[in-house]
Amino acid sequence: MRGPTTFPAPPARRRSRRMDGEVVLVTGGSRGLGLRLAHEFGGRGASVAICARGRERLTRAVAELTSQGIDAQGVVCDVTVPEEVEVLPEEVVARFGRLDVLVLNAGIMRVGPWETLTEEHFAQALDSMFLGPLRLVRAAFDPLRESGGRIVTITSIGAYLSVPHLMPYTVAKHAEAALSESLAAESAGTGVRVTTVVPGLMRTGSHRGAVFDGSPEREYAWFALLAGLPLLSVGAGRAARRIADAVERRRGFLVLTPAARLGMAAHGLAPGLVQASMRLIGRVWPDIPSEPRELPGSEAARSLKGRAVGVVTFLNERAAHRLNQVSRTRQTRGVGARR
């Protein structure tokens, strides 16, 4: 088994210590962006609780955090199970005595043409990225009100700009973004602040945790390529720093990349043109094979032919290794990836 990943301590200028004594709960915190956020908040003096479904990966992530001197707790919790969500804030408060920041980061990702998707796939996405966060906010609101805390929702550019072959994810992210912005309006006067984060493409290794439908190898190739291009994507460390800065400053809205800002602006100014562009992109996407298949991202990568794709996706593959993004092959079929 590969040993714990070691992250460098945040630079001195980032160690503001303004979060000393605060407690942060990150869902989907055992890998990817969630794990990097846990390191970033911990490096600023906060105690950190992370939750995830898999105990082994969660234990490894907590070991990584504590090795950096971070006071950390791991809680096994599936955000799609109401009973587990209901007691999650109680467990964190029992351990640390308070809750100051709730980061809604857990999610699943399925890539493929909509003709290969079932109603169950949409229900899974909505359960993970809309109903789960809604239930958790309800359960955590009282301790957050007591501390004058913050709710941070990690949405996606997909919440505002629909792209082909990500329909369940896009639909669920639309709902999650609406939930976050509605909470910002509804929480006025409670002392609780809400930050809506809109990432663009990020090099977090999420392609290794996604599930690919239709022609998995071809779907994997375009997805990993786009998510790994330096000019279009942002590294997980930089993304985590900007999110933590926004939380400290109590910002209400954060768009992480210039490409995401450009996409949102284009959609606002010329939605018809953007829609026509997406239709054009959809025409050149991988066709549906005569016998559609489903593969986890790691299996799709292994079966992908040709070395060119491996070269152009190098940055994303490196991110997958560094951010604890291992294969989901042994997990239940039909469930995608946490960010």
Side-chain angles (χ1 to χ4, degrees):
M1 180 184 300
R2 182 169 57 89
T5 302
T6 301
F7 289 102
R13 64 185 178 86
R14 293 289 181 181
R15 299 184 70 89
S16 64
R17 311 306 301 183
R18 284 185 292 179
M19 297 189 72
D20 274 345
E22 296 196 32
V23 177
V24 181
L25 168 59
V26 183
T27 67
S30 66
R31 60 179 180 171
L33 178 62
L35 180 56
R36 198 64 190 90
L37 282 169
H39 276 272
E40 186 67 31
F41 286 120
R44 297 178 185 222
S47 298
V48 179
I50 59 174
C51 80
R53 290 176 300 176
R55 184 177 299 276
E56 180 180 349
R57 184 178 293 139
L58 189 63
T59 300
R60 186 163 60 241
V62 171
E64 293 177 11
L65 293 166
T66 56
S67 72
Q68 297 293 317
I70 297 169
D71 187 10
Q73 174 194 26
V75 182
V76 176
C77 176
D78 185 338
V79 298
T80 67
V81 180
E83 296 79 11
E84 295 183 11
V85 170
E86 184 176 352
V87 299
L88 177 59
E90 296 177 5
E91 293 190 45
V92 175
V93 173
R95 167 66 168 79
F96 295 109
R98 58 188 293 155
L99 177 61
D100 298 275
V101 181
L102 170 62
V103 182
L104 302 170
N105 172 72
I108 62 176
M109 184 173 290
R110 178 175 288 272
V111 184
W114 79 275
E115 295 95 331
T116 66
L117 304 173
T118 67
E119 184 174 320
E120 181 182 0
H121 297 148
F122 286 87
Q124 290 170 348
L126 285 166
D127 214 15
S128 175
M129 292 178 280
F130 172 65
L131 290 176
L134 173 61
R135 294 174 184 131
L136 185 51
V137 167
R138 287 186 182 277
F141 203 83
D142 282 346
L144 288 171
R145 194 202 316 259
E146 291 177 8
S147 65
R150 287 90 88 195
I151 299 169
V152 184
T153 310
I154 311 297
T155 66
S156 169
I157 184 59
Y160 301 91
L161 190 67
S162 299
V163 299
H165 292 213
L166 281 170
M167 188 179 283
Y169 180 79
T170 297
V171 168
K173 283 299 180 182
H174 270 280
E176 186 177 42
L179 172 65
S180 185
E181 295 191 47
S182 297
L183 284 170
E186 294 283 348
S187 61
T190 66
V192 177
R193 299 294 297 269
V194 178
T195 301
T196 303
V197 179
V198 184
L201 296 170
M202 290 189 295
R203 297 188 296 276
T204 62
S206 60
H207 61 295
R208 282 305 192 101
V211 172
F212 295 84
D213 284 292
S215 179
E217 295 87 352
R218 294 182 65 189
E219 298 284 353
Y220 177 92
W222 75 257
F223 186 81
L225 171 61
L226 291 179
L229 290 176
L231 294 180
L232 291 180
S233 61
V234 63
R238 183 180 177 187
R241 287 192 297 272
R242 292 196 59 196
I243 293 169
D245 286 343
V247 171
E248 282 193 2
R249 297 166 186 168
R250 295 180 177 269
R251 289 182 57 182
F253 205 89
L254 173 66
V255 183
L256 280 179
T257 63
R261 286 193 290 270
L262 180 61
M264 292 180 68
H267 186 270
L269 293 172
L273 179 61
V274 172
Q275 187 179 65
S277 300
M278 291 301 161
R279 287 174 60 87
L280 180 62
I281 292 173
R283 291 177 65 89
V284 299
W285 242 239
D287 296 327
I288 305 173
S290 56
E291 296 183 3
R293 295 178 298 145
E294 171 190 296
L295 288 178
S298 54
E299 286 190 6
R302 285 196 295 270
S303 61
L304 184 63
K305 303 299 182 182
R307 301 186 56 164
V309 172
V311 173
V312 296
T313 60
F314 168 75
L315 290 175
N316 229 346
E317 292 297 313
R318 185 172 64 179
H321 177 75
R322 292 187 66 239
L323 295 174
N324 204 14
Q325 194 84 11
V326 297
S327 171
R328 296 178 56 89
T329 306
R330 297 179 183 177
Q331 296 192 17
T332 304
R333 291 278 184 162
V335 177
R338 297 186 193 279
R339 276 182 297 273

